[in-house]
């Protein structure tokens, strides 16, 4: 139901209400006070003729009345125009409540037949509400296109606007064609419906320029989506050939700085595992503990510096309680040790490192001083600041090392970011810069203000971007063309400056979550041009905002009510697609990001079987073999009549991957083999948006650079070009995973690998949404970090389990106690994911999490089985740095 009209009765009995009659005031001031109701009545008589109470009264009407017809004044300072406006809003809201119910009843035949299925109550709200700016937040599979078509039909049917006064804008050509087709088919009986304008934003912008100037501009063919990336690559190649400095700066960025190193105060995400070690893979093939160490190692590798990572210190330091000291880097040619300390500008370590880290720093410094061994230090603050490697380069040169930078050096491990990948980021960044009208100075200021950022990387990126963007603009001028971003900005300028007068009184925009700031400016300009009676309705789902690579800005969806005055948000909460289990699991998953709009999705799908499955295999080949086995089982069931298609003659199966490269090699063979009963296709998740199938198979859902979530997308550098950055980790990848989960009408099956399950899959397992089936049992989520899964190992002192994300998460537990049904941790455990008092202890499974406190320590949660189980957590989902760290240090 519409949010703002719920409070219609709150001001009943107020200024215009029917409150109880009061005794006449016989005080000296009674005369003026008794005259006030008469003044209000007279004031109402002035504006009442301007109100059409046979229609919806938009929110802005209250402020318009107060502005045009100044209300009578009263001597109270708190009683002014604002109070009158509030009273009018309440009065009009009450009118709209009654009008809404009346229209639903009167037009039931229309709403039942305008689309193939009768409209839901929420969909009818979306048709009838004619506030100034209406935002319809539509859950996946909730019939948003039906609502848009019905809204157009309702407006024409009721004579609210003429057909040629309706403009429908779509994100791309395919969506525009679908909307046009649906309008033509479903509204064919309405006079003049063929005059409704349906265009893409780009096509409409081009038409505006043509009408305003009498001459349509030429669009550069190489700037079109799908071809623009190739032009960026060509520009880069040309600049590398003609400018030695650019070539060096580009190659250095691509090989060393191309991958973001994350925030200083957040744990690194491992992307490699070898010989019992999990961490970050370097170009030299080493596995290091942090992205900062990876960047240092890559800088050394590409400069030809020989180093050894964590070689045992030349003096024996092992004791009963401590293992042998292994400095981060050792340069054997000059006998120099190099320690990289995770310290900020104040010399403090990240909270998640624990209280012993600083004492370790002091111990290492003291040890080198005692043993008279050469030590070179870098810190996180230094390595993230401008000129980060200058001091290291100077020290190596002074010691006799010759630096020879070679960007083409053959790697033994992780390959550098490719020119194509980096060019794609440049192009996305350029689109956001143009869309938001940002100057170079504004970009530099945004980079400088970016807290916890890698300042050196941002500075280097901006310098490269400016050179490439300048050449892009030069080439446009050379052929007298513009690009799509210029086209929108030019169209906006013509509308804002009156060279184009909008005839459109009703605007509709689809896929609003994929809209850029420039497109929002276009909509606002059209509303202003058409006058105060114009209406806007946008439809979209911020949970499905997955097109930032095309310049989309999700904040225009989440901040809609701040961007458009007198706005109303409606919800389409009922999906016709996904079964209940998928609705619950996917909704909880995507709403882990607090910036997403909250909604509760219900479903009409009666499917009652388990709708979410996950399977883990030792290798990708075995995972695909399991997928083929599942297809065979489905085929056999369909052949035997135990599995039927809901519509059509075949059961639809959609295989989805994060990348084109995830396409199973044998899927076309499966398509031929099972094709008489199963309709099988492969798509990337991006291309699946808007589609659905009976069964969805998600392949290669693993953790890694090319996994899901991808670790090469969502580059944080894009944030400095966006007015409302989304700092939640992997925000767009999370929304993309939500899209994948919501394509199925029956089941989603997820295929992963036992040694590298996706952190998203581990999260689903931790929340109980799915069990990850593996040979011999199930993979259990790590009770400490919640991102990894527990793996069994055979150690010196017997079998034990450890988190798959080690060393990022150091949780492990012995298995020797399993005969008694209890697994206890081998050390203290701090739970980082939300947990509440009374929950079962996720470590031992026997105790409950209870509130504890003592002395000067803040209250915290601890397992009731202490001291046999030493699990703690922050109280009430707070940060764990204070209370938990203090408790841990108590010994």
């Amino acid at each position: 139901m519409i949010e703002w009209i719920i409070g219609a009765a709150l001001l009943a009995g107020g200024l215009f209400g029917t409150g109880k009659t009061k005794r006449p005031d016989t005080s000296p001031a009674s005369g003026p006070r008794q005259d006030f109701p008469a003044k209000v009545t007279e004031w109402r008589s002035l504006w009442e003729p301007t109100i059409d109470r046979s229609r919806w009264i938009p929110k802005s009407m209250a402020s318009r009345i107060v502005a045009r017809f100044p209300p009578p004044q009263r001597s109270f300072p708190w009683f002014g125009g604002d109070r009158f406006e509030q009273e009018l809003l309440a009065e009009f809201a009450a009118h709209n409540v009654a009008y809404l119910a009346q229209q639903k009843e009167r037009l039931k035949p229309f709403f039942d037949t305008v689309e193939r299925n009768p409209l839901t109550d929420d969909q009818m709200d979306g048709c009838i509400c004619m506030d100034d700016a209406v935002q319809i937040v539509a859950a996946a599979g909730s019939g948003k296109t039906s609502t848009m078509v019905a809204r157009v039909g309702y407006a024409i049917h009721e004579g609210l606007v003429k057909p040629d006064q309706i403009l429908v804008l779509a994100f791309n050509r395919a969506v525009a064609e679908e909307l046009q087709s649906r309008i033509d088919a479903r509204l064919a009986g309405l006079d003049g419906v063929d005059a409704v304008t349906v265009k893409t934003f780009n096509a409409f912008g081009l038409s505006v320029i043509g009408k305003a100037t009498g001459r349509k501009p030429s669009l550069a063919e190489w700037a079109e989506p799908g071809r623009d990336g190739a032009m960026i690559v060509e520009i880069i190649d040309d600049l590398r050939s003609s400018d030695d400095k650019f070539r060096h700066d580009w190659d250095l960025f691509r090989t060393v700085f191309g991958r973001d190193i994350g925030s200083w105060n957040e744990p690194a995400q491992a992307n490699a595992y070898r010989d019992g070690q999990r961490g970050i893979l370097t170009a030299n093939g080493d596995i290091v503990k942090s992205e900062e160490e990876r960047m240092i190692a890559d800088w050394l590798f590409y400069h030809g510096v020989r180093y050894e990572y964590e070689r045992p210190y030349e003096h024996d330091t092992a004791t009963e309680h401590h293992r042998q000291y292994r400095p981060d880097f050792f340069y054997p040619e000059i006998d120099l040790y190099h320690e990289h300390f995770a310290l900020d500008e104040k010399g403090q370590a990240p909270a998640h490192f624990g209280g012993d880290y600083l004492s370790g720093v002091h111990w290492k410094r003291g040890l080198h001083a005692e043993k008279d061994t050469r030590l070179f230090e870098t810190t996180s603050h230094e390595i993230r600041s401008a000129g980060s490697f200058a001091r290291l380069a100077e020290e190596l040169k002074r010691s006799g090392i010759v630096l020879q930078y070679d960007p083409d050096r053959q790697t033994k491990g992780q390959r550098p970011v490719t020119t194509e990948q980096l060019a794609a980021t440049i192009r996305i960044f350029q689109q956001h810069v143009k869309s938001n009208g940002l100057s170079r100075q504004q970009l530099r200021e945004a980079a400088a203000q970016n807290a916890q950022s890698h300042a050196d990387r941002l500075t280097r990126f901006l310098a490269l971007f400016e050179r490439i963007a300048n050449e892009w603009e030069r080439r446009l001028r050379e052929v007298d063309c513009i690009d799509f971003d210029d086209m929108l900005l030019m169209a906006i300028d013509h509308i804002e400056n009156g060279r184009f007068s909008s005839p459109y009184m009703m605007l509709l925009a689809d896929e609003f979550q994929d809209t850029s700031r420039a497109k929002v400016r276009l909509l606002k300009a059209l509303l202003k041009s058409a006058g105060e009676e114009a209406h806007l309705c946008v439809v979209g789902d911020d949970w499905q905002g997955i097109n930032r690579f095309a310049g989309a800005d999700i904040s225009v969806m989440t901040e809609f009510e701040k961007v458009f005055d007198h706005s109303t948000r409606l919800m389409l909460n009922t999906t016709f697609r996904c079964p209940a289990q998928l609705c619950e699991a996917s909704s909880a998953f995507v709403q882990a990001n607090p910036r997403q709009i909250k909604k509760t999705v219900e479903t009409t799908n009666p499917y009652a079987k388990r709708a979410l499955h996950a399977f883990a295999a030792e290798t990708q080949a075995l995972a695909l073999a399991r997928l083929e086995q599942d297809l065979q089982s489905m085929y056999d069931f369909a052949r035997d009549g135990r599995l039927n298609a809901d519509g059509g003659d075949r059961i639809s199966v959609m295989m989805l991957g994060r990348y084109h490269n995830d396409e199973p090699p044998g899927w076309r063979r499966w398509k031929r083999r099972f094709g008489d009963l199963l309709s099988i296709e492969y798509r990337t998740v991006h291309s699946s948006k808007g589609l659905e199938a009976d069964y969805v198979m998600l392949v290669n859902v693993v953790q890694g650079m090319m996994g899901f979530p991808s670790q090469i997308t969502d580059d944080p550098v894009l944030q400095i070009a966006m007015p409302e950055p989304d700092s939640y980790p992997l925000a767009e990848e999370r929304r993309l995973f939500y899209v994948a989960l919501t394509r199925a009408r029956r089941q989603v099956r997820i295929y992963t690998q036992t040694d590298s399950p996706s952190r998203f899959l581990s999260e689903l397992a931790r929340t109980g949404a799915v069990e990850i089936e593996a040979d011999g049992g199930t993979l259990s989520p790590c009770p400490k970090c919640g991102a990894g899964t527990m793996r069994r190992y055979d150690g010196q002192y017997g079998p034990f389990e450890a988190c798959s994300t080690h060393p990022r998460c150091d949780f492990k537990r012995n298995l020797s106690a399993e005969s008694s049904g209890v697994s206890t941790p081998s050390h203290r455990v701090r739970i980082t994911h939300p947990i509440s008092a009374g929950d079962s202890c996720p470590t031992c499974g026997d105790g409950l999490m209870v509130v504890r406190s003592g002395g000067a320590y803040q209250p915290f949660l601890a397992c009731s089985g202490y001291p046999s189980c030493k699990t703690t957590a922050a109280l009430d989902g707070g940060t764990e740095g204070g209370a938990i760290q203090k408790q841990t240090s108590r010994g």
Side-chain angles (χ1 to χ4, degrees), residues 252-253 256-257 261 295 299 380-390 447 453-463:
L252 184 61
F253 190 92
V256 178
F257 299 94
I261 59 176
M295 185 174 67
W299 186 91
S380 295
H381 173 67
E382 177 186 12
I383 213 71
R384 291 169 179 268
S385 303
S388 54
F389 286 92
S453 69
H454 185 180
D456 189 29
R457 181 174 188 262
L458 294 181
T459 300
R460 292 172 185 269
F461 179 87
L462 287 178

Side-chain angles (χ1 to χ4, degrees), residues 93-122:
H95 162 83
N96 290 336
V97 168
Y99 180 77
L100 191 68
Q102 169 196 318
Q103 290 294 88
K104 288 180 180 179
E105 180 178 358
R106 183 176 71 84
L107 296 176
K108 187 178 186 304
F110 172 81
F111 290 129
D112 283 351
T113 58
V114 66
E115 273 289 325
R116 287 188 293 271
N117 297 310
L119 299 191
T120 65
D121 202 58
D122 290 343

Side-chain angles (χ1 to χ4, degrees), residues 380-589:
S380 295
H381 173 67
E382 177 186 12
I383 213 71
R384 291 169 179 268
S385 303
S388 54
F389 286 92
R391 198 168 62 86
L392 176 58
E394 181 182 346
E395 177 66 25
L396 293 174
K397 290 177 182 177
R398 184 168 56 245
S399 299
I401 297 291
V402 177
L403 301 180
Q404 294 180 318
Y405 177 66
D406 179 7
D408 299 319
R409 186 179 180 188
Q410 189 66 37
T411 63
K412 304 174 186 176
Q414 183 167 240
R415 296 177 180 177
V417 173
T418 66
T419 290
E420 288 74 18
Q421 289 169 336
L422 194 50
T425 300
I426 292 279
R427 178 58 180 142
I428 299 169
F429 190 82
Q430 180 187 37
Q431 289 175 304
H432 284 298
V433 168
K434 283 195 170 188
S435 176
N436 295 313
L438 298 175
S439 68
R440 305 292 165 83
Q441 182 60 32
Q442 286 174 312
L443 291 175
R444 296 187 193 106
E445 291 173 357
Q449 296 169 3
N450 198 289
Q452 303 295 338
S453 69
H454 185 180
D456 189 29
R457 181 174 188 262
L458 294 181
T459 300
R460 292 172 185 269
F461 179 87
L462 287 178
L464 293 170
F465 167 74
E466 290 181 10
R467 291 290 311 277
I468 296 167
N470 289 340
E471 178 61 16
W472 174 281
E473 298 301 326
R474 189 196 68 77
R475 295 189 181 199
L476 286 174
R477 292 192 299 271
E478 187 176 58
V479 294
D480 192 23
C481 288
I482 61 174
D483 60 24
F484 285 96
D485 303 296
D486 294 329
M487 181 185 64
L488 277 179
L489 295 174
M490 290 173 64
I492 292 166
D493 180 69
H494 289 307
I495 299 170
E496 290 178 340
N497 290 285
R499 292 185 290 272
F500 175 88
S501 296
S502 174
Y504 303 109
M505 302 305 295
M506 176 179 284
L507 306 176
L508 290 94
D510 193 19
E511 303 287 1
F512 194 67
Q513 75 280 350
D514 295 327
T515 299
S516 65
R517 288 275 163 174
K519 292 172 183 174
V520 169
R521 280 186 59 198
L522 179 71
L523 293 173
K524 295 189 76 171
L526 287 171
L527 284 175
K528 185 176 181 180
S529 175
E532 59 190 17
E533 298 298 327
H535 297 274
L536 168 69
C537 177
V538 304
V539 184
D541 183 9
D542 64 299
W543 293 5
Q544 298 183 74
I546 60 173
N547 283 313
R548 188 158 69 169
F549 67 89
D553 185 348
I554 192 67
S555 67
V556 302
M557 187 80 182
T558 57
E559 304 294 328
F560 182 83
E561 291 167 300
K562 297 180 181 179
V563 175
F564 291 94
D565 296 331
H566 313 294
S567 60
T568 292
R569 175 180 289 168
L570 309 181
M571 298 285 190
L572 297 184
N573 287 327
T574 302
T575 180
F576 306 101
R577 179 187 302 157
C578 300
Q581 184 190 3
L582 281 180
C583 286
E584 294 170 6
S586 60
S587 297
F589 176 80

Side-chain angles (χ1 to χ4, degrees), residues 671-698:
K671 186 180 180 73
R672 293 190 298 270
R673 177 178 168 187
F674 305 122
D676 57 323
L677 297 177
L678 305 181
S679 173
I680 303 173
E681 61 177 334
Y682 174 82
R683 290 181 174 273
T684 64
V685 183
H686 274 104
S687 68
S688 74
K689 189 170 176 294
L691 305 177
E692 59 183 43
D694 294 322
Y695 296 88
V696 167
M697 316 298 213
L698 298 184

Side-chain angles (χ1 to χ4, degrees), residues 824-886:
T824 59
S826 59
H827 55 266
R828 299 179 185 277
V829 177
R830 288 180 293 166
I831 303 300
T832 59
H833 58 79
I835 192 168
S836 302
D839 288 353
S840 295
C841 174
T843 304
C844 69
D846 289 340
L848 299 178
M849 300 303 291
V850 296
V851 179
R852 295 192 185 278
S853 61
Y857 302 105
Q858 302 173 10
F860 58 92
L861 293 176
C863 178
S864 61
Y866 182 87
S868 61
C869 180
K870 302 173 183 177
T871 299
T872 59
L875 184 62
D876 297 330
T879 57
E880 55 176 319
I884 295 177
Q885 186 55 50
K886 290 178 181 179

Side-chain angles (χ1 to χ4, degrees), residues 24-75:
D25 189 345
T26 56
S27 65
S30 62
R33 293 189 181 182
Q34 288 179 333
D35 290 343
F36 187 72
K39 292 180 180 179
V40 171
T41 301
E42 180 182 356
W43 172 70
R44 287 186 62 98
S45 68
L46 296 176
W47 57 259
E48 186 66 45
T50 67
I51 303 297
D52 185 352
R53 294 186 181 270
S54 67
R55 291 187 175 189
W56 183 278
I57 303 177
K59 279 185 179 179
S60 65
M61 187 59 70
S63 60
R64 281 189 264 162
I65 288 173
V66 171
R68 294 176 185 173
F69 304 93
Q73 299 297 310
R74 211 164 185 177
S75 59

Side-chain angles (χ1 to χ4, degrees), residues 650-835:
R650 294 185 297 170
I651 296 164
S652 56
V653 179
M654 187 188 300
M655 290 180 291
L656 296 180
R658 176 61 183 82
Y659 296 100
H660 290 289
N661 292 340
D662 291 326
E663 180 178 316
W667 85 270
R668 297 185 188 279
R669 174 173 54 83
W670 301 336
K671 186 180 180 73
R672 293 190 298 270
R673 177 178 168 187
F674 305 122
D676 57 323
L677 297 177
L678 305 181
S679 173
I680 303 173
E681 61 177 334
Y682 174 82
R683 290 181 174 273
T684 64
V685 183
H686 274 104
S687 68
S688 74
K689 189 170 176 294
L691 305 177
E692 59 183 43
D694 294 322
Y695 296 88
V696 167
M697 316 298 213
L698 298 184
V699 299
N700 203 31
V701 184
V702 298
Q703 192 69 13
M705 193 58 60
M706 297 287 286
F708 199 173
S710 169
Q711 294 181 10
I712 61 172
T713 60
D714 263 5
D715 194 317
V717 74
L718 299 177
Q719 303 285 8
I720 64 175
M722 302 177 74
E724 293 290 340
D726 189 345
S727 58
Y728 195 80
L730 297 168
E732 182 140 336
E733 287 292 299
R734 181 173 289 269
R735 292 191 290 268
L736 188 63
F737 197 69
Y738 169 80
V739 169
L741 292 176
T742 53
R743 299 306 94 195
R745 292 189 290 263
R746 296 183 185 175
Q747 285 183 359
V748 172
R749 293 172 174 258
I750 302 174
Y751 301 87
T752 187
Q753 295 180 43
T754 52
D755 65 342
S756 56
S758 161
R759 62 185 295 185
F760 286 168
L761 181 54
S762 296
E763 182 178 331
L764 290 175
R766 175 175 60 80
T767 59
V770 70
E771 288 186 348
I772 307 175
E773 300 178 26
D775 290 340
T778 61
L779 296 184
S780 59
C782 173
K784 181 178 181 181
C785 69
T789 56
M790 300 305 296
R791 298 295 312 279
R792 186 184 188 279
Y793 300 93
D794 292 318
Q796 180 180 359
Y797 302 104
F800 67 95
E801 285 185 325
C803 179
S804 61
T805 66
H806 178 81
R808 184 170 57 88
C809 175
D810 61 359
F811 178 76
K812 62 181 179 180
R813 59 189 174 195
N814 297 324
L815 296 178
S816 56
E818 285 197 334
S819 58
S820 61
V822 179
S823 293
T824 59
S826 59
H827 55 266
R828 299 179 185 277
V829 177
R830 288 180 293 166
I831 303 300
T832 59
H833 58 79
I835 192 168

Side-chain angles (χ1 to χ4, degrees), residues 236-275:
I236 292 166
D237 289 342
D238 289 348
L239 288 174
R240 288 182 74 252
S241 299
S242 60
D243 187 326
D244 290 342
K245 184 179 185 306
F246 180 88
R247 181 175 68 253
H248 177 269
D249 292 345
W250 176 264
D251 288 340
L252 184 61
F253 190 92
R254 184 176 61 82
T255 54
V256 178
F257 299 94
R259 293 185 174 91
D260 179 60
I261 59 176
S263 296
W264 165 78
N265 58 357
E266 293 181 358
Q269 297 293 329
N271 62 21
Y273 177 84
R274 186 181 64 224
D275 300 331

